[in-house]
């Protein structure tokens, strides 16, 4: 990093390590979806760089769409997701792969899975770059997982810290917002 952005404590995952992992995930996905044309659903905004790299590393045909959701509440009982931007096309009968930046409590993802499952896709799977297993509150199956990380607050590679640092090519640990 040529500049020292405020609040950054350390580099957690380097650009090289991310590139290697994205290739590994793409190879597995390409092999599992042979003969299919999956719809990659990126959850905005955090997944935009990961999805762009993953999609280019696939050697199968695919389609891409995005959803934007916002979540409220922090428990299983009262968490709600509001769809701010929905998919452009129906997904009935499609192989759908959700592409997420980080799974933290899993509450957002579990609600999105419910919403999308009700639309009767042929298959519905999850790919995430980062996973914080120690924070999990909702039971979600992660089919493709980049890195398990500890309970730290990260930014970079599309992921923000108060809307900043999405453009950093590596993943960094930032001081947790208070
Ligand atoms: P969950 O519903 O708790 O799993 O929330 C996951 C979402 O929270 C991710 O898609 C991110 O948008 C956000 N998030 C969780 N951990 C971090 C982090 O360390 N840095 C930035 N955003 C995070």
């Amino acid at each position: 990093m040529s500049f020292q952005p405020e609040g950054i404590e350390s580099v957690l995952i380097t650009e090289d390590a991310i590139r290697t992992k994205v290739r590994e995930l793409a190879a597995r996905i390409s092999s599992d979806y042979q003969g299919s044309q999956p719809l990659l659903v990126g959850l905005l905004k955090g997944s935009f760089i990961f999805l762009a790299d993953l999609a280019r590393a696939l050697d199968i045909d695919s389609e891409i769409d995005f959803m934007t959701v916002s979540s409220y509440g922090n428990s299983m009982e009262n968490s709600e997701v509001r769809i701010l931007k929905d998919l452009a096309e129906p997904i009935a009968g499609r192989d759908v792969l959700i592409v997420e930046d980080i799974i933290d409590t899993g509450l957002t993802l579990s609600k999105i899975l419910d919403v999308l499952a009700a639309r009767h896709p042929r298959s519905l799977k999850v790919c995430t770059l980062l996973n914080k297993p120690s924070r999990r509150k909702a039971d979600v199956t992660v089919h493709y997982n980049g890195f398990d990380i500890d309970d730290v607050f990260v930014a970079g590679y599309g992921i923000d810290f108060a809307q900043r640092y999405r453009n950093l090519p590596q993943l960094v640990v930032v001081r947790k917002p208070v």
Side-chain angles (χ1 to χ4, degrees):
M1 219 179 312
S2 56
F3 68 114
Q4 278 300 321
E6 186 195 336
I8 293 188
E9 291 185 346
S10 57
V11 173
L12 183 68
I13 304 174
T14 64
E15 213 178 330
D16 266 2
I18 296 171
R19 194 177 305 117
T20 303
K21 185 62 77 178
V22 169
R23 285 200 196 119
E24 261 174 53
L25 291 170
R28 283 180 51 208
I29 292 167
S30 300
S31 145
D32 292 353
Y33 286 88
Q34 279 296 326
S36 166
Q37 188 179 314
L39 177 68
L40 310 178
V41 173
L43 301 184
L44 292 173
K45 300 176 191 171
S47 71
F48 81 107
I49 291 181
F50 176 42
L51 176 58
D53 284 348
L54 186 72
R56 282 178 291 181
L58 294 178
D59 61 14
I60 51 166
D61 211 357
S62 66
E63 290 180 34
I64 293 172
D65 205 346
F66 294 96
M67 281 180 92
T68 309
V69 299
S70 68
S71 41
Y72 301 97
N74 53 13
S75 72
M76 279 284 231
E77 298 72 36
N78 68 17
S79 89
E80 286 294 328
V81 297
R82 192 152 60 99
I83 299 176
L84 304 178
K85 186 225 167 294
D86 205 342
L87 300 176
E89 304 283 341
I91 56 167
R94 300 290 315 266
D95 289 315
V96 175
L97 180 61
I98 297 178
V99 179
E100 182 51 311
D101 54 351
I102 308 182
I103 305 175
D104 187 37
T105 62
L107 290 170
T108 313
L109 186 60
S110 78
K111 300 281 177 184
I112 293 171
L113 285 167
D114 289 348
V115 169
L116 296 186
R119 299 179 188 179
H120 307 294
R122 185 160 81 139
S123 68
L124 182 58
K125 290 189 181 179
V126 174
C127 174
T128 188
L129 179 66
L130 302 175
N131 183 33
K132 294 182 184 172
S134 67
R135 297 259 309 157
R136 197 68 94 251
K137 289 184 184 162
D139 187 22
V140 287
T141 303
V142 182
H143 304 85
Y144 306 97
N145 180 24
F147 302 93
D148 277 343
I149 61 170
D150 293 336
D151 180 15
V152 288
F153 200 83
V154 300
Y157 197 67
I159 299 167
D160 75 305
F161 170 46
Q163 297 305 323
R164 296 172 67 196
Y165 306 148
R166 292 191 198 273
N167 59 319
L168 296 177
Q170 64 282 77
L171 284 151
V172 297
V173 176
V174 290
R175 242 173 277 131
K176 236 179 174 171
V178 281

